[in-house]
Every structure is written in C-alpha cells, then in structure tokens.
Amino acid sequence: MALAPPLTVQYQFPTAISDDVKVPVVLGVMSRCPDAILCESVFNRVLQRVGNKVDISLSFIANPNASEPFYGVTCMHGQAECAGNVQELCAAKYHSTSEWWSFVQCQNFQGRDNIGTPETALNCANAAGINWENGKAGQCAGKDGRGTEGIQLLQQSTRDSIAAGIQKSCTIIINGQQVCIRDGTWYDCEGGHSPADFIRQINAEYDRLNSAD
C-alpha cells in the first residue's frame, strides 16, 4: 500500500536576499540513518528561519568498494540506502532547495525502511512538485535508484565526504567548520545543538561574510 505523502505544498523559505553571500552548510548523512533523519528534522526548523541565508547540501557517507556490483560503494544500511542517497542527490541537482528539501523531508516521514524504494521516491516527488517520471531528477536516479548519473553523483559525494573528513552521520559543517555531530547522541557541539543554536551560528557567519569591510 502506498503511504500518503505528508506534504502537498513545497516548503517556503524566507524571501531571498539579492547580491549577498550565502553561508555554506553541509550535512554529512546516510539516507536511512536515524541520526541523519533527526538531524534533518532539526535543520528543517533552521531553514524555516534562515533558509534565505544558506546554501545547504547533503554529503553522503559510504565506503568505496570497486567490487560492489551496482553502486561501487557500500552503504551502511544496505543497497536500499544507496538508492535513497542517489534519489536525494538527483533531486538536489535538478531542483530548487525548497523542492529537494521537501523531497528529503517527505522520504524521512515515510519511515527509514521505505527510503530508497521507487514508490516512496515517486510519492515524495509528487508531494514536492517534482516531475519524477518524466523529469531530469527521475532520469538521473533511475526507477530503482540505479541510474548511471545518480550512481556517479553518489560516488563523487562519497569521495567529497572522505576528503572533508566526514565519518559520522550526521556531521554538521557551517562555512567549512565542523560545528556538531549527532551519532547516538550530540557531541563536539561547542555552540550547542538546538535549532536556535544553529540559527545563531548561521546568522553570525552570514553577517561576517557580508560585512562591508
């Protein structure tokens, strides 16, 4: 039975500010990881406040494995997680932040055991206003999460995570600085780990990046 998507409209972030420098925010995640799902729910609240000040992206954690027959990487929660990673990367490549973030939040809402399935991807794409069956994101991901382009995106994302030293899901990086990790518990979070804490840190970085000096 298909699960009803929780969203019928896209998330609306604050109105964009023209000619400003956005704060890069990277979440190091695995699509079926409970800590990543919690982390993304926290950042859902963050983005509703400062979504116009950030350039957010997901960086996926997996182990390169040349003998893995489909993905060339091993995902900790199995091949279905690799598929979920691919689907989310493809949505992010071809759609606005509000659209792909809605897609991710919808996937998470369906329950971690449904992330990566074709049915969840289609339902959540529809909920987020993404044309999955005939659009570029769906072609990128492939019907079963094994699209050639999507697999290349996952392999590159895995390399990027390794290069950035991202090992734990979820690792939060704000403007190039690792500020917090959620892995069973929150730790290495000198600035705190509530939505308000991340909002404060983003605002400080935004002001610094856009100061008129």
Side-chain angles (χ1 to χ4, degrees):
M1 183 179 71
L3 293 170
L7 309 169
T8 55
V9 296
Q10 300 163 16
Y11 279 98
Q12 295 299 314
F13 298 146
T15 304
I17 304 164
S18 60
D19 298 328
D20 62 342
V21 179
K22 308 293 187 189
V23 179
V25 175
V26 177
L27 305 182
V29 294
M30 299 179 280
S31 63
R32 281 194 167 201
C33 172
D35 292 300
I37 293 170
L38 174 63
C39 190
E40 288 162 352
S41 73
V42 169
F43 262 81
N44 191 51
R45 294 169 65 186
V46 172
L47 292 177
Q48 288 172 359
R49 287 283 302 278
V50 292
N52 59 335
K53 295 182 178 180
V54 304
D55 179 11
I56 191 166
S57 61
L58 304 180
S59 192
F60 286 95
I61 301 165
N63 294 315
N65 179 1
S67 63
E68 204 288 326
F70 299 114
Y71 295 101
V73 301
T74 299
C75 297
M76 183 175 292
H77 302 93
Q79 289 186 343
E81 177 170 79
C82 286
N85 297 351
V86 163
Q87 291 162 354
E88 293 178 7
L89 283 165
C90 288
K93 177 172 180 178
Y94 288 108
H95 290 274
S96 67
T97 301
S98 63
E99 288 171 337
W100 74 255
W101 186 259
S102 296
F103 178 79
V104 171
Q105 288 295 311
C106 175
Q107 294 237 82
N108 293 349
F109 187 85
Q110 306 303 323
R112 57 190 295 258
D113 290 339
N114 292 304
I115 293 171
T117 66
E119 296 79 15
T120 297
L122 180 59
N123 285 344
C124 288
N126 288 337
I130 295 172
N131 183 346
W132 196 254
E133 292 179 295
N134 300 307
K136 289 184 177 180
Q139 293 171 4
C140 168
K143 185 176 180 181
D144 53 2
R146 294 177 184 172
T148 301
E149 182 183 8
I151 290 171
Q152 291 171 348
L153 291 177
L154 176 56
Q155 292 174 352
Q156 183 61 54
S157 185
T158 299
R159 290 192 292 269
D160 291 345
S161 294
I162 293 169
I166 297 171
Q167 298 178 328
K168 300 293 185 181
S169 174
C170 168
T171 297
I172 300 166
I173 299 173
I174 297 177
N175 199 23
Q177 298 298 312
Q178 180 179 300
V179 299
C180 196
I181 293 173
R182 170 73 197 195
D183 184 23
T185 186
W186 295 101
Y187 63 94
D188 290 348
C189 304
E190 184 176 340
H193 56 77
S194 72
D197 293 322
F198 297 126
I199 289 166
R200 185 189 69 252
Q201 292 174 77
I202 287 167
N203 278 327
E205 287 299 310
Y206 179 85
D207 291 344
R208 192 173 68 81
L209 288 171
N210 291 281
S211 60
D213 57 1

